[in-house]
Amino acid sequence: MNTAEISREIRQRLVRMHQTGSHFGSAMSIVDILTVLYFRVMNIASPDDPGRDRFILSKGHATSAWYTTLARKGFVDEKVLDTYLKDGGQLYGHPVRGGVPGVEASTGSLGHGINIASGIALAGKNDGRDYRVYVLMGDGEIQEGSVWEGAILAARLKLDNLVAIVDANNLQGFDRVEKIQPIRTFRKKWEAFEWGAREVDGHDHDQLERALREAPFVPGAPSVVIARTTKCKGVKEMEDCFESHYLSVPKDKVECYCRELEEEQ
Amino acid sequence: MRQAFINTLMELAEEDDSIYLLTGDAGFTILERFRDRFPGRYYNVGIAEAAMIGLAAGLAMSGKTVFVYSIVPFVTMRCFEQVRVDLCYQKLPVKLVGVGQGVTYGTAGATHHAIEDIAVMRALPNMTVICPGGPIETKKAVAASLDLTGPCYIRLGKSGEPTVHKSEDISFAIGRGIRVREGVGVALVATSNMVPTAVAAADLLEKEGWKPEVISMHTVKPIDRELLAATAGRCPLIATLEEHNLIGGLGSAVAEVILADDLHARLITFGIPDQYAPVAGSQEYLRDLFGLLPEQVAEVIRDKLKEKIVSGKP
Ligand SMILES: [Mg+2]
């Protein structure tokens, strides 16, 4: 499937959605990861099929990308996207379980997703189901201690049906990630916690697909894909700028950004 | 109470294979039988409470009925934010079971005391707070918790707690206090293992001719407003008893009802006066220090009853 086309559509939608609110850059960063998961890798015919693969967005602040992917997948009415951050609606700035079909867990506070994912993965194994659980974390997020409690736990439970993805864009709320916990140390850390680890270009769909399909990388162990990404990917003047974590898209830039995305092909 | 908990859980788990038990590395001499009987449904998650609550949430989202066991501070406050987001916000029916209510682990010091737990758990939307007043109520509470659709916190003591009920044949429902003794003039409303203290204090007052009512308010949230209204009708003096900070626990919950429902009752609250135990001490020693022994409670109530505003003599 031509997933490049899908990613482009999703990014253009995000440009329009993000005329209010923050986290535009965070959302743009993960579009390729979500596209590859939902359109190439995950086995998910409907959002409530008990056998479906699960996805949890642990970096909940990037949820606009998730909503948009779920809409592109057909699980959510496109029109619902217009209610993003609107009073009285269900499209909160962080995802809420039950609010939108396909949103598996309420997140937004960082460091929670990995352990929820482990619980779902453990239940799947104990019940003899063959679904997989994917959890996407930010590179700043993995400074949370609960992530490393979870890393110990998932390895010890031998959750080879669990795949964590780290959106490694080297930016977090108020700094470069490398000043706090450098990305170059990630792989060794996860491997030291007895996870199988791979590093890929997080915007290269083929690389992402290959890694996600080849997991588990170590038999009987959980897997982590460290996806090297660029914050706000696709909009050159905001790429790799931490301000894109906070700023909305100016009204007069919308068409210009959408055109830029069109031409990138 | 720990034994009553595990015995009940063992019985329930025989019938219901969705029941899981997670522990944060606590439970020596208590959980071994469950571990050995149901090895695929028991996990010592380790000393990692944040991960334990998240794991419980994921299991509950997959249809499991999860009990999470540890010492009170570690299963409520250490992982407070995981409880808030993963369990309360998502409204998942996970049961937190805390042992060592109040100053049960007296000499261990305040790291192991539980004097803020009711307050913080009570403040969480969707959370039910159950503080059984002895082994029989523990048994009933654990069984009744299976019907809850949201999370609950079950606050237990340790072992050897007396029961105030003559038989197991009590009517127990979450959210409904139990009138242990009918009376008039004054009501002692107690929770957790202060219920036996309330009964003992009531015995002392009875010897002097008063006729105190005693209530086990095992569910602190949602609190039984109807029972409090009925009680206030007969008892213009209400005394609350808890091994918990005077801020935010049972006393506060009862005060809220008295004010909101315009009940005509005066309130005295017995509890721990907003401080950590200033010295090492056994549970008994610390209760004495905080004025929570039956004689101390009875004395304060007696003085109030003798004040002319409240005439409690039958
Ligand atoms: Mg980042």
Side-chain angles (χ1 to χ4, degrees), chain A residues 31-255:
Chain A
V31 168
D32 298 295
I33 296 167
L34 289 177
T35 303
V36 171
L37 277 169
Y38 277 88
F39 295 92
R40 288 200 189 182
V41 176
M42 281 170 67
N43 172 26
I44 180 165
S46 81
D48 49 11
D49 169 16
R52 72 192 180 280
D53 287 340
R54 268 71 163 179
F55 171 76
I56 288 173
L57 182 66
S58 197
K59 50 171 288 181
H61 54 281
T63 193
S64 57
W66 197 11
Y67 297 152
T68 311
T69 306
L70 291 170
R72 183 63 181 72
K73 188 80 182 166
F75 297 164
V76 177
D77 191 329
E78 280 278 343
K79 284 196 210 85
V80 173
L81 295 181
D82 296 335
T83 68
Y84 179 58
L85 306 184
K86 290 277 173 12
D87 292 345
Q90 285 297 313
L91 298 202
Y92 303 78
H94 298 93
V96 178
R97 178 171 177 262
V100 175
V103 168
E104 300 272 2
S106 304
T107 55
S109 173
L110 299 174
H112 288 240
I114 185 175
N115 294 309
I116 294 173
S118 287
I120 300 172
L122 178 62
K125 277 192 158 297
N126 288 356
D127 293 347
R129 291 184 178 276
D130 61 1
Y131 61 70
R132 283 194 175 199
V133 188
Y134 299 91
V135 56
L136 176 55
M137 296 181 280
D139 50 358
E141 175 179 5
I142 68 169
Q143 288 150 21
E144 289 283 3
S146 54
V147 170
W148 300 101
E149 285 187 15
I152 296 169
L153 179 60
R156 159 276 175 104
L157 293 172
K158 303 192 186 329
L159 298 179
D160 56 6
N161 54 346
L162 174 67
V163 183
I165 304 154
V166 180
D167 172 37
N169 57 24
N170 195 23
L171 279 169
Q172 57 187 87
F174 199 38
D175 229 321
R176 281 279 170 202
V177 171
E178 66 193 359
K179 289 191 187 167
I180 295 165
Q181 183 190 207
I183 293 165
R184 67 185 149 70
T185 67
F186 283 4
R187 184 172 181 155
K188 278 188 179 168
K189 282 176 178 155
W190 287 96
E191 284 174 347
F193 280 72
E194 301 186 291
W195 285 54
R198 285 276 170 87
E199 292 190 72
V200 300
D201 176 337
H203 300 302
D204 182 317
H205 291 199
D206 293 337
Q207 279 192 39
L208 278 166
E209 180 181 7
R210 206 175 311 123
L212 292 168
R213 282 198 187 284
E214 284 174 11
F217 311 132
V218 175
S223 309
V224 60
V225 175
I226 298 156
R228 303 250 183 192
T229 53
T230 302
K231 190 151 185 144
C232 213
K233 175 74 176 174
V235 172
K236 281 282 176 303
E237 69 176 353
M238 288 174 87
E239 276 186 3
D240 199 34
C241 295
F242 96 89
E243 290 84 352
S244 71
H245 195 86
Y246 302 101
L247 301 179
S248 310
V249 175
K251 209 178 173 67
D252 59 349
K253 294 277 191 177
V254 171
E255 291 314 317

Side-chain angles (χ1 to χ4, degrees), chain B residues 88-268:
Chain B
C88 293
Y89 193 31
Q90 300 198 103
K91 206 174 182 225
L92 294 173
V94 171
K95 295 104 180 53
L96 304 176
V97 179
V99 295
Q101 69 85 50
V103 293
T104 298
Y105 294 118
T107 53
T111 53
H112 287 58
H113 293 171
I115 64 165
E116 313 95 332
D117 54 316
I118 297 176
V120 296
M121 289 294 107
R122 203 164 73 86
L124 291 166
N126 296 330
M127 178 62 85
T128 297
V129 179
I130 311 170
C131 310
I136 293 175
E137 290 185 21
T138 299
K139 182 177 173 173
K140 303 276 183 182
V142 170
S145 74
L146 294 189
D147 296 330
L148 291 171
T149 54
C152 72
Y153 165 48
I154 303 175
R155 183 192 208 230
L156 302 182
K158 195 169 73 175
S159 50
E161 290 86 357
T163 180
V164 298
H165 304 294
K166 291 186 180 64
S167 79
E168 295 207 356
D169 190 23
I170 56 167
S171 150
F172 183 98
I174 291 169
R176 293 265 167 250
I178 298 173
R179 191 174 288 137
V180 176
R181 182 179 300 186
E182 285 207 36
V184 69
V186 58
L188 282 70
V189 179
T191 200
S192 226
N193 63 9
M194 285 300 283
V195 175
T197 303
V199 170
D203 286 343
L204 294 172
L205 291 165
E206 271 188 4
K207 280 184 193 144
E208 298 164 24
W210 308 95
K211 200 166 180 328
E213 177 151 318
V214 179
I215 288 172
S216 170
M217 195 60 90
H218 51 75
T219 308
V220 180
K221 183 189 174 187
I223 197 149
D224 191 342
R225 310 175 84 104
E226 283 173 31
L227 180 61
L228 286 173
T231 300
R234 280 193 308 277
C235 305
L237 180 64
I238 291 178
T240 57
L241 287 78
E242 61 194 311
E243 228 176 87
H244 185 276
N245 195 337
L246 285 168
I247 296 173
L250 174 70
S252 299
V254 171
E256 288 159 14
V257 175
I258 289 176
L259 284 171
D261 295 355
D262 198 20
L263 304 184
H264 295 282
R266 291 179 72 207
L267 178 67
I268 323 173

Side-chain angles (χ1 to χ4, degrees), chain B residues 10 20 27 46-47 65 93 126 196 248 276 312 314:
Chain B
M10 294 279 298
Y20 273 56
I47 306 162
T65 305
N126 296 330
Y276 294 108

